[in-house]
């Protein structure tokens, strides 16, 4: 079996296929308070991608976040779970961008930006500054531009 649930709509349909209204704050269970997620996916060792999207449309972005709160829209953690994944210390890259399979930009666990392939970063701007690099007053390294 390759699919357990299959949802679909027609090209002219309006509205969401799946809508989740989540209000749980994790405090409702007094004996074991803690995390409360609207969608919780556990991708166990050996399993392929836990969440994959295929963008075939040019009408709008595949993934969009609307953040009206005060917390970050995205937070990425490298953590350990020696019970489920023994020997793994959670040191994978935070972000990896690919262009037709080739690695273009990788942000590793030490926040080092690594460029790959032949791509050159370009900063386009409409403000007075295209790029601002700020360091602490104790910084004695070099910033190359």
């Amino acid at each position: 079996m390759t699919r357990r649930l299959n949802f679909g709509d027609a090209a002219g349909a309006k509205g969401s296929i799946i809508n989740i209204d989540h209000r749980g704050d994790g405090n409702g269970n007094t004996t074991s308070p803690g995390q409360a997620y609207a969608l919780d996916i556990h991708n166990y060792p050996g399993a392929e991608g836990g969440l994959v999207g295929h963008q075939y449309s040019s009408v709008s972005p595949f993934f969009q976040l609307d953040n009206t709160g005060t917390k970050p829209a995205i937070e990425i953690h490298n953590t350990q779970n020696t019970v489920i994944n023994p020997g793994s210390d959670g040191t994978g890259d935070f972000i990896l961008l690919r262009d037709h399979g080739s690695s273009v930009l990788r942000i590793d666990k030490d926040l080092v930006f690594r460029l790959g392939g032949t791509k050159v970063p370009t900063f386009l701007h409409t403000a007075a500054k295209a790029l601002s690099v700020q360091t602490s007053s104790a910084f004695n390294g070099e910033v190359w531009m």
Side-chain angles (χ1 to χ4, degrees), residues 11-32:
K14 295 190 183 238
S16 303
I17 294 176
I18 298 173
N19 188 44
I20 300 172
D21 290 326
H22 178 59
R23 293 180 175 87
D25 61 5
N27 295 319
N29 186 347
T30 56
T31 59
S32 181

PDB file of all heavy atoms in Angstrom, residues 11-32:
ATOM      1  N   ALA A  11     -10.184  21.425 -10.227  1.00  0.00           N
ATOM      2  CA  ALA A  11      -9.441  22.643 -10.568  1.00  0.00           C
ATOM      3  C   ALA A  11     -10.188  23.912 -10.167  1.00  0.00           C
ATOM      4  O   ALA A  11      -9.572  24.882  -9.749  1.00  0.00           O
ATOM      5  CB  ALA A  11      -9.131  22.662 -12.057  1.00  0.00           C
ATOM      6  N   GLY A  12     -11.498  23.945 -10.262  1.00  0.00           N
ATOM      7  CA  GLY A  12     -12.255  25.147  -9.932  1.00  0.00           C
ATOM      8  C   GLY A  12     -12.702  25.229  -8.490  1.00  0.00           C
ATOM      9  O   GLY A  12     -13.436  26.140  -8.115  1.00  0.00           O
ATOM     10  N   ALA A  13     -12.262  24.294  -7.651  1.00  0.00           N
ATOM     11  CA  ALA A  13     -12.719  24.252  -6.256  1.00  0.00           C
ATOM     12  C   ALA A  13     -12.183  25.427  -5.456  1.00  0.00           C
ATOM     13  O   ALA A  13     -11.110  25.940  -5.726  1.00  0.00           O
ATOM     14  CB  ALA A  13     -12.286  22.943  -5.610  1.00  0.00           C
ATOM     15  N   LYS A  14     -12.945  25.838  -4.460  1.00  0.00           N
ATOM     16  CA  LYS A  14     -12.511  26.907  -3.552  1.00  0.00           C
ATOM     17  C   LYS A  14     -12.484  26.368  -2.140  1.00  0.00           C
ATOM     18  O   LYS A  14     -13.258  25.496  -1.791  1.00  0.00           O
ATOM     19  CB  LYS A  14     -13.457  28.103  -3.650  1.00  0.00           C
ATOM     20  CG  LYS A  14     -13.421  28.753  -5.006  1.00  0.00           C
ATOM     21  CD  LYS A  14     -14.164  30.065  -4.993  1.00  0.00           C
ATOM     22  CE  LYS A  14     -14.140  30.623  -6.390  1.00  0.00           C
ATOM     23  NZ  LYS A  14     -13.561  31.909  -6.476  1.00  0.00           N
ATOM     24  N   GLY A  15     -11.591  26.896  -1.336  1.00  0.00           N
ATOM     25  CA  GLY A  15     -11.491  26.462   0.046  1.00  0.00           C
ATOM     26  C   GLY A  15     -10.367  25.461   0.239  1.00  0.00           C
ATOM     27  O   GLY A  15      -9.719  25.027  -0.699  1.00  0.00           O
ATOM     28  N   SER A  16     -10.150  25.092   1.475  1.00  0.00           N
ATOM     29  CA  SER A  16      -9.064  24.188   1.847  1.00  0.00           C
ATOM     30  C   SER A  16      -9.502  22.736   1.749  1.00  0.00           C
ATOM     31  O   SER A  16     -10.665  22.411   1.993  1.00  0.00           O
ATOM     32  CB  SER A  16      -8.629  24.463   3.285  1.00  0.00           C
ATOM     33  OG  SER A  16      -8.242  25.797   3.429  1.00  0.00           O
ATOM     34  N   ILE A  17      -8.568  21.874   1.411  1.00  0.00           N
ATOM     35  CA  ILE A  17      -8.845  20.433   1.442  1.00  0.00           C
ATOM     36  C   ILE A  17      -8.813  19.951   2.890  1.00  0.00           C
ATOM     37  O   ILE A  17      -9.659  19.210   3.333  1.00  0.00           O
ATOM     38  CB  ILE A  17      -7.835  19.648   0.591  1.00  0.00           C
ATOM     39  CG1 ILE A  17      -8.003  20.018  -0.877  1.00  0.00           C
ATOM     40  CG2 ILE A  17      -8.006  18.154   0.788  1.00  0.00           C
ATOM     41  CD1 ILE A  17      -6.989  19.377  -1.779  1.00  0.00           C
ATOM     42  N   ILE A  18      -7.805  20.398   3.621  1.00  0.00           N
ATOM     43  CA  ILE A  18      -7.695  20.054   5.043  1.00  0.00           C
ATOM     44  C   ILE A  18      -7.525  21.351   5.824  1.00  0.00           C
ATOM     45  O   ILE A  18      -6.688  22.180   5.484  1.00  0.00           O
ATOM     46  CB  ILE A  18      -6.488  19.134   5.307  1.00  0.00           C
ATOM     47  CG1 ILE A  18      -6.644  17.810   4.559  1.00  0.00           C
ATOM     48  CG2 ILE A  18      -6.321  18.890   6.807  1.00  0.00           C
ATOM     49  CD1 ILE A  18      -5.426  16.926   4.644  1.00  0.00           C
ATOM     50  N   ASN A  19      -8.285  21.513   6.864  1.00  0.00           N
ATOM     51  CA  ASN A  19      -8.168  22.687   7.722  1.00  0.00           C
ATOM     52  C   ASN A  19      -8.042  22.207   9.155  1.00  0.00           C
ATOM     53  O   ASN A  19      -8.855  21.425   9.633  1.00  0.00           O
ATOM     54  CB  ASN A  19      -9.397  23.589   7.562  1.00  0.00           C
ATOM     55  CG  ASN A  19      -9.230  24.893   8.288  1.00  0.00           C
ATOM     56  OD1 ASN A  19      -8.170  25.498   8.213  1.00  0.00           O
ATOM     57  ND2 ASN A  19     -10.245  25.319   9.004  1.00  0.00           N
ATOM     58  N   ILE A  20      -7.011  22.663   9.844  1.00  0.00           N
ATOM     59  CA  ILE A  20      -6.795  22.290  11.237  1.00  0.00           C
ATOM     60  C   ILE A  20      -6.866  23.555  12.087  1.00  0.00           C
ATOM     61  O   ILE A  20      -6.070  24.466  11.897  1.00  0.00           O
ATOM     62  CB  ILE A  20      -5.425  21.610  11.433  1.00  0.00           C
ATOM     63  CG1 ILE A  20      -5.334  20.337  10.591  1.00  0.00           C
ATOM     64  CG2 ILE A  20      -5.186  21.310  12.908  1.00  0.00           C
ATOM     65  CD1 ILE A  20      -3.952  19.717  10.571  1.00  0.00           C
ATOM     66  N   ASP A  21      -7.832  23.620  12.984  1.00  0.00           N
ATOM     67  CA  ASP A  21      -7.900  24.717  13.948  1.00  0.00           C
ATOM     68  C   ASP A  21      -7.293  24.205  15.239  1.00  0.00           C
ATOM     69  O   ASP A  21      -7.848  23.322  15.890  1.00  0.00           O
ATOM     70  CB  ASP A  21      -9.352  25.141  14.196  1.00  0.00           C
ATOM     71  CG  ASP A  21      -9.959  25.839  12.996  1.00  0.00           C
ATOM     72  OD1 ASP A  21      -9.218  26.559  12.298  1.00  0.00           O
ATOM     73  OD2 ASP A  21     -11.160  25.648  12.748  1.00  0.00           O
ATOM     74  N   HIS A  22      -6.151  24.742  15.603  1.00  0.00           N
ATOM     75  CA  HIS A  22      -5.398  24.245  16.753  1.00  0.00           C
ATOM     76  C   HIS A  22      -5.368  25.300  17.853  1.00  0.00           C
ATOM     77  O   HIS A  22      -4.978  26.431  17.620  1.00  0.00           O
ATOM     78  CB  HIS A  22      -3.971  23.916  16.303  1.00  0.00           C
ATOM     79  CG  HIS A  22      -3.085  23.435  17.405  1.00  0.00           C
ATOM     80  ND1 HIS A  22      -3.367  22.317  18.148  1.00  0.00           N
ATOM     81  CD2 HIS A  22      -1.930  23.920  17.876  1.00  0.00           C
ATOM     82  CE1 HIS A  22      -2.406  22.124  19.031  1.00  0.00           C
ATOM     83  NE2 HIS A  22      -1.524  23.098  18.892  1.00  0.00           N
ATOM     84  N   ARG A  23      -5.791  24.908  19.047  1.00  0.00           N
ATOM     85  CA  ARG A  23      -5.802  25.840  20.171  1.00  0.00           C
ATOM     86  C   ARG A  23      -5.127  25.270  21.413  1.00  0.00           C
ATOM     87  O   ARG A  23      -5.077  25.920  22.449  1.00  0.00           O
ATOM     88  CB  ARG A  23      -7.246  26.239  20.493  1.00  0.00           C
ATOM     89  CG  ARG A  23      -7.872  27.062  19.373  1.00  0.00           C
ATOM     90  CD  ARG A  23      -9.304  27.454  19.682  1.00  0.00           C
ATOM     91  NE  ARG A  23      -9.843  28.323  18.664  1.00  0.00           N
ATOM     92  CZ  ARG A  23     -10.432  27.900  17.548  1.00  0.00           C
ATOM     93  NH1 ARG A  23     -10.555  26.612  17.317  1.00  0.00           N
ATOM     94  NH2 ARG A  23     -10.900  28.765  16.668  1.00  0.00           N
ATOM     95  N   GLY A  24      -4.607  24.067  21.322  1.00  0.00           N
ATOM     96  CA  GLY A  24      -3.981  23.428  22.480  1.00  0.00           C
ATOM     97  C   GLY A  24      -2.696  24.120  22.892  1.00  0.00           C
ATOM     98  O   GLY A  24      -1.835  24.393  22.073  1.00  0.00           O
ATOM     99  N   ASP A  25      -2.558  24.398  24.197  1.00  0.00           N
ATOM    100  CA  ASP A  25      -1.365  25.086  24.685  1.00  0.00           C
ATOM    101  C   ASP A  25      -0.420  24.162  25.446  1.00  0.00           C
ATOM    102  O   ASP A  25       0.597  24.592  25.970  1.00  0.00           O
ATOM    103  CB  ASP A  25      -1.742  26.272  25.566  1.00  0.00           C
ATOM    104  CG  ASP A  25      -2.523  25.863  26.799  1.00  0.00           C
ATOM    105  OD1 ASP A  25      -2.696  24.652  27.041  1.00  0.00           O
ATOM    106  OD2 ASP A  25      -2.970  26.770  27.527  1.00  0.00           O
ATOM    107  N   GLY A  26      -0.740  22.877  25.520  1.00  0.00           N
ATOM    108  CA  GLY A  26       0.135  21.936  26.204  1.00  0.00           C
ATOM    109  C   GLY A  26      -0.059  21.892  27.707  1.00  0.00           C
ATOM    110  O   GLY A  26       0.576  21.120  28.394  1.00  0.00           O
ATOM    111  N   ASN A  27      -0.941  22.714  28.242  1.00  0.00           N
ATOM    112  CA  ASN A  27      -1.131  22.773  29.695  1.00  0.00           C
ATOM    113  C   ASN A  27      -2.374  22.031  30.165  1.00  0.00           C
ATOM    114  O   ASN A  27      -2.621  21.966  31.355  1.00  0.00           O
ATOM    115  CB  ASN A  27      -1.211  24.238  30.151  1.00  0.00           C
ATOM    116  CG  ASN A  27       0.098  24.955  29.924  1.00  0.00           C
ATOM    117  OD1 ASN A  27       1.157  24.397  30.159  1.00  0.00           O
ATOM    118  ND2 ASN A  27       0.018  26.179  29.432  1.00  0.00           N
ATOM    119  N   GLY A  28      -3.156  21.475  29.261  1.00  0.00           N
ATOM    120  CA  GLY A  28      -4.404  20.816  29.633  1.00  0.00           C
ATOM    121  C   GLY A  28      -4.224  19.534  30.405  1.00  0.00           C
ATOM    122  O   GLY A  28      -5.071  19.146  31.193  1.00  0.00           O
ATOM    123  N   ASN A  29      -3.117  18.842  30.223  1.00  0.00           N
ATOM    124  CA  ASN A  29      -2.861  17.593  30.926  1.00  0.00           C
ATOM    125  C   ASN A  29      -1.986  17.902  32.138  1.00  0.00           C
ATOM    126  O   ASN A  29      -0.780  18.090  32.017  1.00  0.00           O
ATOM    127  CB  ASN A  29      -2.153  16.608  29.981  1.00  0.00           C
ATOM    128  CG  ASN A  29      -1.979  15.249  30.606  1.00  0.00           C
ATOM    129  OD1 ASN A  29      -2.152  15.076  31.809  1.00  0.00           O
ATOM    130  ND2 ASN A  29      -1.622  14.286  29.789  1.00  0.00           N
ATOM    131  N   THR A  30      -2.584  17.963  33.308  1.00  0.00           N
ATOM    132  CA  THR A  30      -1.846  18.368  34.515  1.00  0.00           C
ATOM    133  C   THR A  30      -0.826  17.328  34.953  1.00  0.00           C
ATOM    134  O   THR A  30       0.157  17.666  35.599  1.00  0.00           O
ATOM    135  CB  THR A  30      -2.813  18.651  35.669  1.00  0.00           C
ATOM    136  OG1 THR A  30      -3.620  17.499  35.896  1.00  0.00           O
ATOM    137  CG2 THR A  30      -3.672  19.861  35.355  1.00  0.00           C
ATOM    138  N   THR A  31      -1.019  16.053  34.609  1.00  0.00           N
ATOM    139  CA  THR A  31      -0.053  15.033  35.018  1.00  0.00           C
ATOM    140  C   THR A  31       1.147  14.993  34.078  1.00  0.00           C
ATOM    141  O   THR A  31       2.221  14.560  34.469  1.00  0.00           O
ATOM    142  CB  THR A  31      -0.706  13.632  35.053  1.00  0.00           C
ATOM    143  OG1 THR A  31      -1.219  13.325  33.763  1.00  0.00           O
ATOM    144  CG2 THR A  31      -1.809  13.585  36.082  1.00  0.00           C
ATOM    145  N   SER A  32       0.980  15.443  32.846  1.00  0.00           N
ATOM    146  CA  SER A  32       2.091  15.431  31.891  1.00  0.00           C
ATOM    147  C   SER A  32       1.961  16.611  30.934  1.00  0.00           C
ATOM    148  O   SER A  32       1.727  16.429  29.740  1.00  0.00           O
ATOM    149  CB  SER A  32       2.105  14.102  31.115  1.00  0.00           C
ATOM    150  OG  SER A  32       3.191  14.088  30.220  1.00  0.00           O
TER     151      SER A  32
END
